[in-house]
Amino acid sequence: MSSEQSSKKRVFSGIQPTGNIHIGNYLGAVRNWVIHQKEKENFFCIVDLHSLTVKQDPDELRRQTRSLAAILLASGIDPSASTLFIQSHVAAHAEGCWLLNCVTPIGWLQRMTQFKDKSVQQETISAALLDYPVLQAADIILYDAHEVPVGEDQKQHVELSRDIAQRFNHLYEHEFFVVPEPVIPKSAARVMGLDDPTAKMAKTYAHVRGHAVRLLDEPDEIMYVFKRAVTDSGREIRFSDDPERAGVNNLLEIYKAVTSKTPEEVERDFADARGYGDLKVRVAEVVIEMVNPIRERYKTLMEDPAKLDRLLAIGAEQAAAVSVPKLAEMKRIMGLVLPGESR
Ligand code: TYM
């Protein structure tokens, strides 16, 4: 690691390869990783082990994992500034999860909103679904990450990672783990479903036409989805926290995030709009402009899967160079005998 790198704040974030990556993931997380990557030392992880907490089709999971790597690169993740890797390629994450399980009270996991939400959708709840945030804590704290840029929905998990790091430090060795901070964007921290603006835009439902705009969607599809977006019976184009007006607010939030304008500038842009129809078309247009180059770069990257695999192999090596020694130290602190250690 260069001395320049070591003086930078360390960032860790992750994304699941299952479902279709959509503009909520991009605006809430990935774009912020890209924007700040030169200022930080970054680890971005495709969390395939997290995806396995619910049953996956094996071939589809493999396909989606590679495809997500290409999407992240196409979105601007630069391998010379950021380490991009697949979680299961670095065994330290799963091992670290086990060790952290030993210091995590089960009540902390049962309280997690995502666990409660996801477990009602499953016939059989895997032990891994409950354990999900402990693996996430291992991801983050094995890298001594200071910052974890995520959307609003992951705030609770990052806060749990803080609690777990602090508990380990308290039980074993003061200040062994850096206590990470969630970094939530000011715009688009929670992009809502276009078919139901009271529910978060979710990868799991991104295959339902009208719910989400997926990063690889063609312009016609994006226009179609925005035109069908649920709004209300009014005409006023203003930001609002009135639940009745959540649809229009969501469209304005998306526009604000894409254009990086202030709320006042956004409202001014729509002062001459002729109703919600106009609003929908103009939001669609800025989104189309944003995703077009990503989709084109993605196509090129997918033409060379061997290159993609090489990049991911380098990423895994770089990630292991940080997390494997940290894990070994963690084991030593907890009283495990390290292989070859004579003391
Ligand atoms: P995942 O794969 O569900 O989502 C990836 C990122 O996208 C953000 N996000 C959103 N932001 C705004 N609006 C939305 N509608 C929206 N939907 C999703 C998420 O907040 C996230 O930042 N558990 C994590 C993955 C993970 C992780 C980690 C994250 C595993 N280990 C360590 C950070 C650090 C997840 O399932 O994200």
Side-chain angles (χ1 to χ4, degrees):
M1 194 194 310
S2 71
S3 57
E4 190 207 347
Q5 254 187 333
S6 59
S7 63
K8 289 179 176 176
K9 280 242 163 107
R10 199 174 274 171
V11 167
F12 188 101
S13 201
I15 180 164
Q16 289 194 59
T18 28
N20 281 293
I21 175 168
H22 52 67
I23 57 168
N25 301 124
Y26 179 73
L27 295 171
V30 176
R31 188 176 66 159
N32 305 310
W33 306 351
V34 171
I35 292 173
H36 299 292
Q37 65 185 329
K38 294 272 155 63
E39 306 145 31
K40 319 270 176 174
E41 189 196 351
N42 317 280
F43 293 87
F44 298 126
C45 186
I46 298 173
V47 294
D48 53 352
L49 296 174
H50 277 108
S51 290
L52 286 179
T53 54
V54 294
K55 174 87 174 60
Q56 303 296 337
D57 175 81
D59 288 334
E60 188 56 10
L61 178 58
R62 260 187 293 275
R63 189 193 66 71
Q64 288 187 320
T65 300
R66 283 214 181 81
S67 167
L68 180 58
I71 293 177
L72 294 175
L73 292 167
S75 300
I77 297 293
D78 172 359
S80 71
S82 301
T83 294
L84 175 67
F85 69 107
I86 296 176
Q87 188 183 36
S88 64
H89 289 185
V90 183
H93 292 237
E95 270 194 86
C97 172
W98 178 260
L99 299 179
L100 292 178
N101 275 333
C102 302
V103 304
T104 305
I106 198 164
W108 289 6
L109 306 178
Q110 285 161 335
R111 277 207 311 267
M112 291 292 108
T113 314
Q114 189 173 301
F115 172 68
K116 289 192 224 161
D117 291 349
K118 282 201 180 173
S119 50
V120 292
Q121 298 162 15
Q122 305 298 319
E123 237 175 76
T124 322
I125 304 161
S126 68
L129 196 62
L130 179 66
D131 205 28
Y132 180 114
V134 183
L135 179 59
Q136 183 158 346
D139 294 342
I140 298 167
I141 69 180
L142 280 177
Y143 291 82
D144 280 329
H146 306 97
E147 295 179 2
V148 186
V150 284
E152 174 73 36
D153 65 325
Q154 289 299 319
K155 191 165 176 231
Q156 195 185 38
H157 283 164
V158 181
E159 278 165 358
L160 185 77
S161 303
R162 288 174 61 81
D163 292 342
I164 294 175
Q166 276 164 336
R167 185 165 166 87
F168 186 97
N169 289 350
H170 174 73
L171 291 175
Y172 288 100
E173 193 167 299
H174 206 53
E175 291 182 6
F176 176 65
F177 284 121
V178 168
V179 179
E181 291 282 347
V183 179
I184 315 284
K186 289 199 179 68
S187 292
R190 190 176 180 81
V191 174
M192 308 306 279
L194 295 170
D195 55 349
D196 175 6
T198 64
K200 183 191 75 163
M201 188 179 283
K203 271 201 237 98
T204 337
Y205 299 113
H207 62 282
V208 178
R209 198 170 187 207
H211 173 72
V213 170
R214 297 162 298 196
L215 274 195
L216 299 179
D217 279 343
E218 298 284 342
D220 285 354
E221 178 64 15
I222 298 176
M223 190 54 85
Y224 172 88
V225 169
F226 273 112
K227 280 188 174 167
R228 280 185 29 165
V230 170
T231 47
D232 55 79
S233 55
R235 287 188 55 83
E236 219 191 352
I237 304 182
R238 288 198 174 282
F239 287 97
S240 158
D241 48 22
D242 177 354
E244 293 288 310
R245 315 206 53 233
V248 168
N249 195 65
N250 191 37
L251 293 172
L252 290 173
E253 271 292 330
I254 293 171
Y255 183 90
K256 171 164 145 285
V258 174
T259 59
S260 305
K261 291 187 176 179
T262 64
E264 295 73 31
E265 286 169 330
V266 171
E267 288 181 357
R268 222 175 298 136
D269 279 1
F270 290 104
D272 65 340
R274 283 167 288 116
Y276 293 162
D278 237 10
L279 166 70
K280 291 175 180 180
V281 169
R282 290 200 217 165
V283 178
E285 282 167 355
V286 293
V287 170
I288 289 169
E289 213 176 299
M290 173 181 82
V291 302
N292 272 350
I294 298 176
R295 195 181 55 252
E296 293 314 312
R297 282 195 293 269
Y298 169 81
K299 286 180 189 161
T300 314
L301 284 158
M302 287 302 277
E303 281 164 13
D304 194 349
K307 185 174 172 197
L308 206 57
D309 286 350
R310 276 199 303 281
L311 279 174
L312 290 168
I314 295 170
E317 232 174 80
Q318 289 170 346
V322 175
S323 51
V324 170
K326 188 77 184 177
L327 178 76
E329 189 54 16
M330 188 181 170
K331 287 179 176 172
R332 195 195 57 74
I333 290 172
M334 293 179 87
L336 302 182
V337 175
L338 299 182
E341 191 187 48
S342 51
R343 275 180 295 134

